[in-house]
């Protein structure tokens, strides 16, 4: 089963990684770039997985698949 993570805008200008279906963020960051890098490492460790990157307004900007 594929694990899906989202890089999304958090509260008060932060960025977060959130596993799909989770109520709380896995981890919060000051910048989108930091959240993206952490998300890539999570996906690499938890293959098969997908990383979905959102814009600040919530729209999907990009996504990456990490297969076994």
């Amino acid at each position: 089963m594929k694990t899906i993570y989202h890089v999304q805008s958090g509260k008060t200008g932060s960025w977060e990684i959130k596993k799909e279906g989770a109520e709380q963020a896995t981890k919060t960051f000051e910048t989108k770039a930091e959240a993206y890098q952490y998300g890539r490492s999570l996906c690499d460790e938890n293959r098969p997985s997908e990383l979905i990157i959102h814009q600040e307004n919530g729209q999907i900007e990009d996504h990456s698949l990490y297969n076994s």
Side-chain angles (χ1 to χ4, degrees):
M1 181 174 203
K2 178 170 63 173
T3 304
I4 302 172
Y5 295 97
H6 295 264
V7 173
Q8 58 192 33
S9 180
K11 299 173 185 168
T12 64
S14 64
W15 287 87
E16 59 189 26
I17 294 292
K18 191 171 185 181
K19 185 176 179 180
E20 191 161 284
E23 290 186 29
Q24 293 186 347
T26 303
K27 195 166 182 179
T28 302
F29 301 87
E30 288 186 24
T31 68
K32 185 176 184 177
E34 291 172 317
Y36 174 71
Q37 289 300 324
Y38 186 75
R40 286 182 56 184
S41 66
L42 275 178
C43 285
D44 199 36
E45 293 170 5
N46 296 291
R47 293 174 185 246
S49 57
E50 182 175 5
L51 183 62
I52 300 174
I53 300 97
H54 296 265
Q55 296 175 12
E56 197 168 350
N57 66 7
Q59 291 184 337
I60 293 175
E61 179 180 315
D62 199 5
H63 69 95
S64 299
L65 295 173
Y66 295 78
N67 295 315
S68 40

